[in-house]
Amino acid sequence: MIRIEQLDFEYPAGGFRLRVGELAVQSGARAAVIGASGCGKTTLLHLLAGILTPAAGTIRIDGREITGLPDAERRDFRIGTVGLVFQEFELLEYLDVLDNVLLPFRINRSLHLDAPARERARELAESVGLGDKLSQPVPRLSQGERQRVGICRALVAAPSLILADEPTGNLDPDNKERALDILERFAADRGATLVVATHDHALLPRFDQVIDFAELLA
Amino acid sequence: MSDTLYLAWRYMRYNRGKTAILVASLALLLYIPMGLQLLVDRTAARLRTRADTTPVIIGDKGSSLDLVLRALYFEGEVPAAIPYAQVTRIAATGLADAIPIHARFAVRQQPVVGTTIDYFRFRGLATERGGLFTGLGECVLGAAAAEALDAGPGDKVVTSPENLFDLAGSYPLRMRVTGVLSRSHSPDDDAVFVDIKTAWVIAGLGHGHRDLAEKGAEGQVLERDGNRITANASVVQFNEITPQNLGSFHFHGDRSALPVTAVIALPHDDKSRTLLLGRYLGRDEPCQIEEPSAVMNEVIATVVRVRGYVIAVALLLGCGTLLTICLVFLLSIRLRRRELATMEKIGCSRSLVAALVGSEAAIVFVVALALALLLALLTAWGGESLIRGLIV
């Protein structure tokens, strides 16, 4: 379960401040975060992931208070608990598909890149239709395929919280549906919580909970 | 391979053009001072070894460097010749043994060295195949010369004309190879050794031709005046010395006036050496006497001084190159800011990001260092003749 209380965050350079009184998302729920551009959706996701730390308030993920954790522990928490999906995929173009999926294992020592991990990455890639493209360089992939690689990378460490920032923003309607299907299927299979920031109101019926920034910040 | 190194390697492989330029720049930066140092040290050592084992050289009063280079390495300008009488003069002093060297001609690229059997004893040279020359028109090949000419005992080699357009110059002489020397890793390996008299024949100072007194030679006689016979222009001169025509070979004039490039003097002891050096100090003395080690030390000192300047310039250029390489890395990090930020978002620590960039720099440095070492080794292996060529 995600629980936010009296959150107060401001970027060091100033200019934008995010205040959230109370917010809760049940474990295993599918939540959509909507709001105008620049309202703080990405900031909220980064706070939930422990990338940013608030000036005040608390964030608890499955009962664990993450705002007070030291940097290293917050990183370990993030890599072990949170799967991040980005709007512009953020893949490393010098790695092939499989290496991009396995990237979390290569950049954090709390995860061990062993044979089961490789097997899991392969199965994941196969399950999203990338089984025959494991050794393809990323620049040769289509937009939809790239986002599927990004989703696999977010899911490979079996996170209990998936945070997706505009995951369908750069995709055509078919790929949009497919990407969300994958995220939802994985979340349902693993009992993971899914939080998706989106502009696309047509997608809202797919979610259990809608967090509207217009109401949240009111 | 560690994950950091693996990621660094993949990044560099993907950007192989940029990486290759960085490696090449850094390799050159490392190679120039390293290669130069190695090259000069090895060359100096080898030049010194040859010079130190040659006590004294006597030759024409000209460039002492030309004299030493020609007498020791059979390279460079051919100094003016001195008369063979200098050989007998030195021997007559009783202070030293004298070995004549006449190194003016060539068989293709291999220098022809006219000398005596004493030279082989002095240099400790022995034949690997065949034997030493025993007469006129025979030669012994150094190991490298035998390879270059693809010749061995029993084969024939022909001297090269000095100037194709000089009709009065020396004519090619076909010589029989009697043996090939064991490799000595010295300039002797490249030489074609002949007896000093054969060298004079190559110079056109000795020759053999058909006996005009014999029957059937009337067509080549211009004039007969009693026992005096003058040949016409059709007289045949031999271009090969064979057992059949050996007897017809002869030298005109005084043998003591025939030329040698240099004389290697082997003093019996230090006192003899000093006395011999003193004999050649007179103002009217037509020859100069040189201690090769002193001449080569002077040359090496100059080379070392030049090396110092080159290294100083290379270091200055190197600093510039290094700063440029640093700039390339910094710009590269800037261009990759988004990629590195993504890694941090996913869960990579800043120290690991730094290690990743550091690994890339380390790979570039290690590969460049290996390349520079390889180049330096190649230079040390094949660069001695290059630097000797530069001196010459």
Side-chain angles (χ1 to χ4, degrees), chain A residues 46 51 75 78-79 84 86 88 90 92-95 99 105-109 139 153, chain B residues 3-4 6-7 10-11 14 336 338-339 342-350 352 356:
Chain A
H46 285 184
I51 296 168
R75 261 196 315 274
R78 187 156 70 243
I79 203 122
L84 280 165
F86 304 95
E88 292 183 10
E90 310 290 350
L92 304 193
E93 62 177 15
Y94 53 88
L95 297 179
D99 278 333
F105 288 87
R106 293 198 185 275
I107 59 172
N108 192 297
R109 295 196 174 97
R153 181 180 65 189
Chain B
D3 292 324
T4 318
Y6 177 77
L7 290 175
R10 292 301 298 262
Y11 174 79
Y14 185 75
R336 296 169 66 193
R338 187 165 169 176
E339 168 203 330
T342 301
M343 284 196 190
E344 283 190 49
K345 281 179 194 168
I346 292 171
C348 184
S349 66
R350 287 196 165 208
L352 206 67
L356 183 65

Side-chain angles (χ1 to χ4, degrees), chain B residues 2-24:
Chain B
S2 86
D3 292 324
T4 318
L5 274 177
Y6 177 77
L7 290 175
W9 169 245
R10 292 301 298 262
Y11 174 79
M12 296 173 83
R13 212 178 93 174
Y14 185 75
N15 297 287
R16 52 178 76 94
K18 185 188 88 173
T19 306
I21 291 170
L22 278 175
V23 166

Side-chain angles (χ1 to χ4, degrees), chain A:
Chain A
M1 182 180 188
I2 300 170
R3 179 173 291 281
I4 294 176
E5 288 174 351
Q6 305 306 320
L7 184 76
D8 187 357
F9 172 81
E10 187 172 11
Y11 282 102
F16 177 79
R17 190 166 189 178
L18 178 67
R19 283 179 173 163
V20 179
E22 296 236 344
L23 176 66
V25 177
Q26 293 299 320
S27 285
R30 289 170 296 175
V33 180
I34 58 168
S37 289
C39 68
K41 300 189 293 292
T42 300
T43 303
L44 179 67
L45 294 190
H46 285 184
L47 284 162
L48 291 174
I51 296 168
L52 299 174
T53 46
T58 57
I59 300 172
R60 287 176 189 280
I61 311 277
D62 295 334
R64 188 174 184 190
E65 215 276 89
I66 63 163
T67 47
L69 292 175
D71 280 354
E73 281 185 45
R74 226 172 38 246
R75 261 196 315 274
D76 289 347
F77 155 79
R78 187 156 70 243
I79 203 122
T81 312
V82 181
L84 280 165
V85 181
F86 304 95
Q87 180 180 0
E88 292 183 10
F89 325 135
E90 310 290 350
L91 303 177
L92 304 193
E93 62 177 15
Y94 53 88
L95 297 179
D96 60 24
V97 168
L98 185 62
D99 278 333
N100 261 293
V101 173
L102 287 169
L103 186 65
F105 288 87
R106 293 198 185 275
I107 59 172
N108 192 297
R109 295 196 174 97
S110 63
L111 298 178
H112 300 291
L113 182 54
D114 47 18
R118 286 178 196 278
E119 191 50 40
R120 199 161 58 245
R122 277 200 189 88
E123 283 171 8
L124 209 50
E126 275 164 17
S127 73
V128 298
L130 293 170
D132 57 342
K133 299 197 169 174
L134 289 175
S135 53
Q136 283 258 355
V138 166
R140 287 198 204 155
L141 301 178
S142 68
Q143 293 288 91
E145 287 169 334
R146 288 182 200 200
Q147 186 56 300
R148 277 180 270 154
V149 176
I151 290 172
C152 288
R153 181 180 65 189
L155 305 182
V156 72
S160 58
L161 172 61
I162 303 160
L163 302 173
D165 190 3
E166 304 276 5
T168 58
N170 282 331
L171 300 179
D172 59 60
D174 282 350
N175 277 309
K176 200 182 280 186
E177 289 293 324
R178 194 168 182 184
L180 277 176
D181 284 346
I182 295 164
L183 286 171
E184 285 175 357
R185 192 175 70 224
F186 178 87
D189 288 351
R190 310 280 309 197
T193 308
L194 174 65
V195 179
V196 177
T198 181
H199 275 113
D200 192 347
H201 285 236
L203 299 175
L204 297 184
R206 302 180 68 140
F207 293 93
D208 307 320
Q209 181 182 355
V210 174
I211 303 162
D212 188 345
F213 257 65
E215 295 169 13
L216 190 70
L217 303 178

